Amino acid sequence: MNKVAFITGATRGIGKQIAITFAREGYDIAINYRKENEELENAKREIEENNVKCLTVQGDVSNFEDCERCVYEIIKEYGKIDVLVNNAGITKDTLLMRMKKEDFESVIDINLVGTFNVTKNVISHMMKARSGRIINISSVVGVSGNAGQTNYSASKAGIIGFTKSLAKEVGSRGILVNAVAPGFIETQMTDVLKDEIKEEIAKSIPVKRMGVAQDVANVVKFLASDDSSYITGQVINVDGGMLM
Ligand code: NAP
């Protein structure tokens, strides 16, 4: 029986690459989506090209009932979830002076409360199985802070606290919980930046390039593997040395 990985926000970008990477390893995959579109179809097709199953479940991570239903549907189909990757996330960048309350709340609701909503519904299944891996996608700015990202940095710092606390709660049950903190990764999220800014950022990174989604997926794969069985409660930066 194949292992099962549930990756949120996997219709594109980092999440999609994580899902494809797990599919290459022979995992059956579950991904969620908010609206059916071409991106979702492409992601499903690219995952299934690896001869594994890909279940797609409709649900917004910021909605608890949606998450409850998504997890129910995954368990109904596969009977278990071995690996959960909380990857869904958004940015709404602006200086605090200009930030609307809704911009702060929506980023916290999706990035941080979303991580709670999904994990809360998955954890009882992992507890019963006495095994599981949870990998939360944070960000280097959750550690360092970043002007224009008070909402996003707070959500990503919150994910780190959540990760460490949960790791302490469930370690004795065979469940390992870690966070990955990417630096600047080339996806639609960072595509909004002007080319000059991207070049400046790349220059400031010790390895002199922005990361690609596969750089993050490789570390997530490691954290789900038997090779990382003595690692929990950690934050692994994948940032070309940006933060050290
Ligand atoms: P992306 O290309 O914008 O993809 C984000 C994904 O999350 C999409 O599949 C999106 O689906 C989904 N999503 C957003 N809100 C959702 C919601 N409420 N419910 C369910 N799904 C939702 O972003 P990315 O760059 O791949 O980022 C992935 C993760 O890495 C995020 O948590 C981000 O904060 C983190 N990260 C990224 C970078 C970077 O440089 N790119 C750096 C550090 C951390 P829809 O089609 O529904 O919008």
Side-chain angles (χ1 to χ4, degrees):
M1 194 184 189
N2 287 349
K3 282 192 168 181
V4 174
F6 175 26
I7 302 107
T8 68
T11 57
R12 60 170 184 269
I14 294 172
K16 176 176 160 185
Q17 203 55 43
I18 293 170
I20 291 170
T21 302
F22 278 116
R24 286 192 202 124
E25 294 291 300
Y27 281 74
D28 285 326
I29 305 294
I31 62 174
N32 72 310
Y33 63 93
R34 287 192 287 188
K35 285 206 179 94
E36 273 187 66
N37 57 23
E38 213 181 313
E39 276 182 343
L40 173 70
E41 279 170 33
N42 290 341
K44 183 173 162 64
R45 183 178 33 77
E46 287 179 53
I47 291 164
E48 286 173 343
E49 274 167 8
N50 298 282
N51 299 319
V52 295
K53 291 185 204 158
C54 178
L55 177 70
T56 60
V57 288
Q58 195 284 327
D60 183 325
V61 296
S62 65
N63 180 308
F64 188 84
E65 285 73 33
D66 278 13
C67 297
E68 206 169 18
R69 182 174 37 72
C70 284
V71 172
Y72 172 81
E73 286 174 20
I74 297 166
I75 295 291
K76 200 167 121 200
E77 176 69 19
Y78 294 136
K80 60 174 185 168
I81 296 172
D82 297 290
V83 178
L84 165 64
V85 184
N86 283 305
N87 165 81
I90 62 160
T91 50
K92 283 201 176 166
D93 299 350
T94 191
L95 297 171
L96 185 71
M97 284 290 284
R98 295 198 200 115
M99 192 177 288
K100 296 194 189 89
K101 187 166 177 277
E102 301 82 72
D103 295 337
F104 190 85
E105 284 175 348
S106 61
V107 170
I108 298 288
D109 279 352
I110 293 177
N111 298 4
L112 180 57
V113 182
T115 298
F116 165 82
N117 288 343
V118 180
T119 309
K120 169 81 182 155
N121 282 294
V122 167
I123 198 77
S124 54
H125 299 283
M126 288 185 171
M127 294 283 253
K128 261 183 241 149
R130 291 198 153 264
S131 83
R133 300 289 172 97
I134 298 172
I135 300 138
N136 299 321
I137 307 300
S138 176
S139 166
V140 287
V141 305
V143 180
S144 65
N146 194 25
Q149 291 196 307
T150 49
N151 50 1
Y152 184 75
S153 303
S155 74
K156 295 299 184 178
I159 287 175
I160 292 172
F162 178 86
T163 300
K164 292 181 179 182
S165 302
L166 186 62
K168 289 185 177 183
E169 285 184 20
V170 298
S172 64
R173 304 297 188 98
I175 304 167
L176 306 180
V177 191
N178 289 289
V180 172
F184 277 96
I185 310 295
E186 286 172 16
T187 67
Q188 277 185 32
M189 189 179 267
T190 48
D191 230 21
V192 294
L193 298 171
K194 290 192 188 114
D195 283 348
E196 308 90 87
I197 295 181
K198 282 194 212 163
E199 278 164 30
E200 279 307 307
I201 290 169
K203 266 193 231 159
S204 72
I205 298 170
V207 304
K208 304 294 172 204
R209 67 167 177 92
M210 285 180 68
V212 292
Q214 191 65 56
D215 292 323
V216 180
N218 290 340
V219 176
V220 175
K221 178 178 89 173
F222 166 70
L223 289 173
S225 74
D226 291 342
D227 292 341
S228 66
S229 54
Y230 203 53
I231 300 177
T232 196
Q234 302 306 305
V235 185
I236 316 281
N237 297 350
V238 182
D239 65 354
M242 223 174 102
L243 185 77
M244 58 170 101

